[in-house]
Every structure is written in C-alpha cells, then in structure tokens.
Amino acid sequence: MIFRAVEDGDLIRQAARGGVEAFNLLVSRWEKRVYNYLLRLTANREDALDLTQDVFLKAYQNLRKLDDAARFAPWLYRIAHNEAYSMFRKRRPETNLEDAPQESAEDGIAVAGRSVFPIELSLSVTAALNRLSPEQREAVTLKIYQGFKFEEMAEVLGCPVSTVKSRVYSALDLLKAELAPVRRGVS
Amino acid sequence: MSCSPTDLKEYFLSELNLTDSGRVEAHLKSCSTCREELERLQLMQAALGSLREEEIPRRIAFVSDQVFEPSALRRWWGAFWNSSARLGFAAAAMVSGAILVSALTRPAPAPVLNAVSPKATQVSAQTFSGAEIDRRIQQAAAVEALKAVAQAESSRLAEIRQLRDDLKKARYSLAVATSEYDMAARRQGIVNVAANGYGFPKSDAPGESK
C-alpha cells in the first residue's frame, strides 16, 4: 500500500467545493505562519490573532476565486497584508504606521516559556527591526522569516519586484549595521 | 567576475539560478572582501533567527455553519458568472426565446381576407399556407373586378336609358311639328281653294304661322 501525504492543492480543491474539514486541515498547516507574520506587522498578539481568524474566514469565502492552487501561499498572505493595513487605516487614518503600539520586546522571544537565545541578542534584534520602516520590516519578514521569493512578495505586497528588492536590500544594509555589535554573541 | 553586492545579496537570499550561483561561488573563492560580506550577512541572519515563531494562542477551526458557508444558490451563481460557456449558452437561449415569443405574438396578415368575407375575420388568428393566401387574394380580386364591371354596366345602362328617353321626346316633338306642319299646309290649301274658287279671304302661309 502506498501512502501519499495530502497536499495543499488537494485540500484547496476539496475546500473550494465546501469541504470544511479539508479547510480546517489547511488552516492547521498555515495558521502559525500567518499569525507570526501578522504579529510582526502589528506587534500585538491580540490583534494578530483576530486578524488571523479574519484572514482564514475571508480565504474560505473566496477560495473559489483562486485559479492556481500553487499560488495559495502568496494569495493567503495578500489577504493577510490587506487585512492588517485595513485595520491600521481604521484605527489611525492620519498617523504613521511606525507609531503603532507595540508589546515589550521580551514578550516576543520566549518559546514555550523559555528563551532559547541570550536575552540581549533578542532585545537587540527586536530593536533593530523596529528601526526599519514598516515597508522594510514587512519585506524582511516575508523574505527572511517566511521564505518567499521576490516575485511572490511582489504579489503579496502589490508592488513591482524592483520595489521589493529595493526594500529588502536597504533593510539588510540597515540590519547589518544595527546588529554588528552583537553578532559576536551569535557566533 | 568583479565584486557585485547585488549578486552577493541575491546569492545569500537564494534568488539566483544554478549558473549564477556557481559563478558567485567561484568568485567567493578568490575574493576575501565578498567572503567577509557574506559572513556578515549570515551572522545577521543568525541574529534575526533568535526571534523564533510563536505558537498561536488559540487554534482556529471552522464548523459547517450556514452563516459562513455560501448558499447553494450563491455557489451556483458564482460558478455561472465564472463560466463563459454557460454565459454564452444562456445568451443564446434568451435570443431563441425572444424570437419564439415574437413569432407567436405577431399579428396575422389578415386585412385582405377581411375584405373577402365576414367569415374571414373569425379565422384571422389562423395561419395559412402560401397557396391558400394566393387563392384568397385571387378570389377577392375577382369579386372586386365583378363589382367594378357591374357598377360600370349600371352606369352605362342609365346613360342609355336617358338617351332613349331624350330620343323619344325628340321624336315626339318632331312628329308633333310634322303633324302641325301638315295640318297647316292642308288648311292653307283649303283656304287657297276656297279663296280662288269661292272668293273667301286668304290667311297667312303655313311657313309663316307659329
């Protein structure tokens, strides 16, 4: 007997026909990544969780519009991006995204209640990320933490690939400079 | 190959194809500056990795609820508008239906039949073949022609009768005039005889009398 892992494409097709269980399985595969992406954008766990639920609800309602199942990830993150920025606009239509209230850096470095890296390093990384512009921070999140290709990022962010590259490269240069004093601690 | 920070970043980010990656790797073997730059990028990545992903505080799951699930009608409607073939078929069906309704509700061409016979008005809604229509048209034309001929004959007959009457009057007048002339001539002869033979006075000649 040959066992084949159920791929996302199979789940997407079943969910598009109304299969709730298939969609729940799909959610279980992606909810952590989407939640952490939104957590990087909002720096607020409650907002990130609420937005994650909204994202998957909207994804379920619009899954039939997804033509290519292979493009599910950028399509899903595009919804997440839009939901996050929609929330920003509703809350602070006239203020900058950089002024968003953020939780303390210490809250973001614990894994299962324990810190796996020196506290100083995590604090420095969080501080360095916070010095980036929201666009740069989102680009770094999608590239470094989520592993998207430039073309997929362009689809998520709704901008040209050249713009994506520019944001990533400038962010890397800034992070290199910011994290230079602490990199000995990593090595 | 000369130093290219952009290529090095793309190599670091795994955005290069195999050929370009091999070219950068060959360059790295001979360029200490680029090796150090790549090392800095890798250290930065390791530092960024110190921020691990968090577990989601509450798992997300959906139940089969009508509130969230599109209705069957809505699914069908969405599928309908997303299918060009179905849209085309629906458009063709609508055009066919419009033609059929137009054909059924179109008034019958009955004015000619109405002139032929009152009974024709009762069958105006019926449909006729081409031969039947031609036959009825010829029949109506024949009736109209007979009517016209009869009217013409009646008018001519009236004229003839009028002429006959006029002729009779003329003949009567002529006869009366002739008779009066004869009587006047006879009277004049008698008067002449009486005057010549018996000495009676003469009166006017017949042509001179009124």
Side-chain angles (χ1 to χ4, degrees):
Chain A
M1 183 178 292
I2 299 174
F3 290 96
R4 184 176 70 90
V6 180
E7 297 178 355
D8 281 356
D10 300 326
L11 296 175
I12 290 165
R13 278 184 284 276
Q14 290 180 33
R17 291 195 293 267
V20 177
E21 292 306 316
F23 188 71
N24 280 334
L25 187 54
L26 201 60
V27 170
S28 67
R29 292 184 179 184
W30 287 91
E31 62 183 356
K32 182 179 177 181
R33 295 181 60 186
V34 172
Y35 169 76
N36 277 276
Y37 164 67
L38 291 168
L39 184 59
R40 297 268 186 259
L41 261 62
T42 63
N44 184 289
R45 288 188 178 85
E46 190 175 346
D47 288 342
L49 182 60
D50 290 343
L51 286 174
T52 304
Q53 290 175 334
D54 294 342
V55 166
F56 282 106
L57 177 58
K58 190 158 285 188
Y60 181 65
Q61 291 173 332
N62 294 280
L63 201 54
R64 292 168 192 82
K65 297 178 183 175
L66 178 63
D67 296 327
D68 185 5
R71 310 297 297 175
F72 175 71
W75 178 79
L76 182 66
Y77 276 73
R78 174 68 179 166
I79 296 174
H81 169 88
N82 288 340
E83 288 292 306
Y85 277 76
S86 176
M87 185 194 74
F88 293 151
R89 282 191 295 271
K90 286 177 185 174
R91 288 187 178 177
R92 294 170 288 104
E94 296 177 357
T95 57
N96 197 304
L97 296 179
E98 294 182 55
D99 300 329
Q102 297 179 349
E103 296 175 347
S104 67
E106 293 180 6
D107 292 340
I109 60 175
V111 177
R114 282 190 307 145
S115 174
V116 296
F117 284 94
I119 185 69
E120 296 83 0
L121 178 59
S122 297
L123 288 172
S124 300
V125 170
T126 303
L129 286 172
N130 288 339
R131 289 192 185 93
L132 301 177
S133 70
E135 291 80 13
Q136 289 173 327
R137 189 161 52 243
E138 186 174 18
V140 168
T141 301
L142 288 169
K143 186 65 191 171
I144 303 296
Y145 291 103
Q146 303 291 336
F148 280 108
K149 295 290 185 184
F150 284 145
E151 288 185 359
E152 294 173 326
M153 291 174 62
E155 190 175 339
V156 172
L157 301 173
C159 63
V161 173
S162 57
T163 303
V164 172
K165 287 183 178 180
S166 173
R167 290 178 185 174
V168 171
Y169 294 160
S170 60
L172 291 182
D173 290 337
L174 286 171
L175 288 173
K176 263 192 318 181
E178 290 289 332
L179 297 175
V182 298
R183 62 177 188 244
R184 292 187 191 86
V186 177
S187 58
Chain B
M1 173 189 171
S2 59
C3 296
S4 172
T6 302
D7 284 347
L8 191 63
K9 284 191 177 75
E10 293 200 0
Y11 172 77
F12 164 71
L13 295 170
S14 303
E15 288 282 354
L16 292 180
N17 55 36
L18 286 176
T19 305
D20 292 336
S21 294
R23 189 165 46 84
V24 172
E25 286 171 357
H27 173 73
L28 286 170
K29 290 178 181 175
S30 60
C31 180
S32 59
T33 305
C34 289
R35 277 201 306 273
E36 290 175 2
E37 176 65 14
L38 180 61
E39 185 182 354
R40 282 193 288 272
L41 288 170
Q42 290 168 338
L43 288 172
M44 177 204 66
Q45 186 179 29
L48 291 173
S50 67
L51 293 183
R52 295 295 178 88
E53 285 193 330
E54 289 189 17
E55 290 296 327
I56 189 166
R58 188 171 62 250
R59 301 296 301 273
I60 298 171
F62 293 89
V63 294
S64 182
D65 193 324
Q66 295 297 326
V67 173
F68 300 117
E69 192 168 352
S71 65
L73 178 63
R74 190 173 172 183
R75 285 202 300 272
W76 177 86
W77 189 248
F80 176 80
W81 284 107
N82 286 332
S83 170
S84 57
R86 290 180 184 176
L87 281 175
F89 180 77
M94 288 178 67
V95 171
S96 301
I99 292 173
L100 186 62
V101 169
S102 174
L104 290 177
T105 58
R106 187 178 177 185
V112 175
L113 297 177
N114 288 338
V116 174
S117 168
K119 293 181 180 178
T121 58
Q122 301 174 0
V123 295
S124 58
Q126 298 178 2
T127 56
F128 298 96
S129 64
E132 177 67 12
I133 291 172
D134 290 339
R135 189 185 69 75
R136 288 178 182 254
I137 290 173
Q138 290 174 0
Q139 185 180 0
V143 169
E144 291 297 321
L146 287 174
K147 282 184 179 177
V149 168
Q151 188 174 1
E153 284 180 350
S154 175
S155 175
R156 185 63 179 168
L157 184 61
E159 288 178 5
I160 290 171
R161 283 174 179 169
Q162 182 66 36
L163 287 173
R164 187 190 61 185
D165 292 341
D166 292 343
L167 185 59
K168 282 181 180 178
K169 288 179 181 176
R171 282 179 180 174
Y172 178 77
S173 299
L174 181 60
V176 170
T178 304
S179 177
E180 287 178 353
Y181 183 80
D182 288 341
M183 287 180 69
R186 286 177 187 173
R187 189 181 65 180
Q188 187 61 42
I190 292 170
V191 169
N192 289 337
V193 169
N196 293 331
Y198 301 99
F200 285 94
K202 291 184 179 178
S203 60
D204 294 335
E208 295 174 355
S209 63
K210 292 181 181 177

